Each structure stands twice: as C-alpha cells, then as structure tokens.
Amino acid sequence: MTDVIEEIYQGLIEGSSDSVKAKLKILKKACESQVTGKSTDFSFGVIGKISKEMGGPAESTIKNKSKLSPLYQSLVMVYRARYSKPVPKKARNSEPLRLANCIEDTVTRLMVLDLISTNRKLQNELNLQKSKGLIELDHRKNTPQEDFVALENKLTSGEVNALTSFISENKLKDLGWKLGEHGRIVDVKGKPVTKPFFIDAINKLSFIPEED
C-alpha cells in the first residue's frame, strides 16, 4: 500500500467510533482485493459488492447522503485515483501524482487525486478513439466559445455544481475555512489551503452552459 493511501486511511479513522473504524477496515480490504487482483475497477458498485460480502458497507451505504458516506467515498476515491488505468508510460506521467502527494491538506489532496484519475480516463478514451480513426484533431487556435464547448464535454452540470458548492460560504464555514487573497482558500489561522486563483478557476466553470 502506498504511503499516501495509508496516510489518508489513518486520517479517516482518526476520531471515528469503533464501529466506523471496523467498516473502514473492511472497505480497505475490499479495495486491496482489487489491487491484488490487478483490477482497475474501483467504482462504488463493485467495491460496495465486495465490501458487503465481507460484512462491510454496501454500495447504497457508500453512496447515500449520510454523514458517514463521505468517509467511505473518500477511501474508495483515493484507490480509484491511484490504481485507475494509466496513460501509456512516459517519464512525465508520474509528475502529477508526485505533486499531488506533496499537498498537505487531506481534502485538497483527495480532490486533486480524483481530478488526475478523471484526466487519465479521458486521455485513455481519446487515445482509443484516435487509434480507431474516429477523431480528427483540429490544431487551429480555438475561439473562446470553442474553449467553453471543449470544457463542457468533459464536465457535466452536476460536476460543475459539485465544484462550485465546495467553495460556497456555508461549505467553507463548515470546514473552518474562508476566502483569502488572490483566489486562495485559507484556514482559521490564515494558512493557505489551496494555491492562488483556485476560487477564480472554479468560478469560471459556473459560466459553462448546461447541456440540454
């Protein structure tokens, strides 16, 4: 198990009740069984089925809106980010994960790891379509409108809403954070949690038109 997964797992069980710790332990075993079997499928459905057979949280428990579901989802998501099928090996492919692992804040690190996983899946799909000759790339400079369309094809309105709700005043207040200078999120001591322009980047996503 990689250090980052173990670190996040320890952060999740810290302060949890014995029953929750037991469920997280089973969920981790379910994820590890996929790693051992060299499977890249870490969907909530598959992990939930394996976990349920072991006496742990089922898919419905992982996906529901209870106060414990974010703990279960976070553990599965970090495995998904780490073990999803990678782009064909190149020297630079490990750089995003290396940088993500340097992020001290656990929540921010999870978000970045999940974005890396999503990006890898999109790149894999693009490479597959290109290999079949189904996509012809246009390397001409995009207009602003074309840029929005390209981004819209990658993010659904639900995903955009999830990102924008994360930086809402109520959400930041619940986390003990607030808006800082230069588009950063800072903690109660004023220590930056994100890099500059993080808020600006997410706010720009809210202007992408929703799909019909």
Side-chain angles (χ1 to χ4, degrees):
M1 180 179 295
T2 60
D3 291 340
V4 65
I5 293 179
E6 179 62 24
E7 181 182 347
I8 292 174
Y9 171 69
Q10 292 298 329
L12 293 173
I13 64 175
E14 184 177 356
S16 297
S17 65
D18 290 342
S19 61
V20 173
K21 287 180 181 178
K23 291 177 182 178
L24 285 169
K25 184 176 182 180
I26 294 174
L27 196 60
K28 185 177 71 170
K29 287 182 178 179
C31 291
E32 282 297 310
S33 70
Q34 289 292 84
V35 176
T36 302
K38 300 187 183 303
S39 173
T40 58
D41 190 346
F42 289 86
S43 63
F44 293 148
V46 169
I47 298 300
K49 181 179 180 180
I50 298 173
S51 172
K52 183 179 179 181
E53 292 173 352
M54 295 178 174
E59 177 185 6
S60 58
T61 304
I62 297 172
K63 294 173 64 175
N64 66 25
K65 296 182 179 180
S66 71
K67 64 180 181 180
L68 295 178
S69 60
L71 295 178
Y72 305 141
Q73 291 175 15
S74 295
L75 183 58
V76 176
M77 285 168 61
V78 73
Y79 272 93
R80 183 187 303 168
R82 175 63 181 81
Y83 292 104
S84 62
K85 188 177 180 180
V87 177
K89 289 186 177 180
K90 293 181 182 179
R92 65 177 180 270
N93 284 346
S94 61
E95 186 67 8
L97 278 176
R98 186 187 70 79
L99 294 175
N101 291 340
C102 292
I103 299 174
E104 295 182 0
D105 181 75
T106 301
V107 176
T108 304
R109 183 168 60 247
L110 279 171
M111 290 179 62
V112 173
L113 286 170
D114 193 48
L115 288 172
I116 291 173
S117 174
T118 300
N119 181 68
R120 283 183 171 183
K121 291 176 182 178
L122 290 171
Q123 187 62 53
N124 287 340
E125 181 64 23
L126 176 60
N127 290 338
L128 177 62
Q129 299 304 319
K130 285 168 62 179
S131 69
K132 293 180 179 179
L134 300 178
I135 295 180
E136 182 178 349
L137 297 180
D138 186 348
H139 295 286
R140 293 174 298 178
K141 186 175 181 180
N142 289 342
T143 64
Q145 180 60 35
E146 288 171 335
D147 287 337
F148 275 125
V149 172
L151 187 55
E152 184 183 6
N153 289 335
K154 295 182 180 180
L155 292 176
T156 66
S157 60
E159 291 169 336
V160 172
N161 289 335
L163 287 171
T164 53
S165 65
F166 177 77
I167 62 171
S168 67
E169 183 177 351
N170 289 337
K171 182 64 175 179
L172 293 179
K173 184 177 179 181
D174 290 341
L175 294 170
W177 296 343
K178 60 182 179 180
L179 300 181
E181 296 182 348
H182 309 299
R184 289 187 178 99
I185 295 177
V186 299
D187 61 19
V188 291
K189 296 181 179 179
K191 181 180 179 181
V193 175
T194 67
K195 290 187 175 182
F197 312 116
F198 180 80
I199 297 295
D200 306 75
I202 293 182
N203 281 334
K204 285 181 180 179
L205 296 177
S206 63
F207 293 100
I208 299 176
E210 294 187 5
E211 296 179 359
D212 294 334

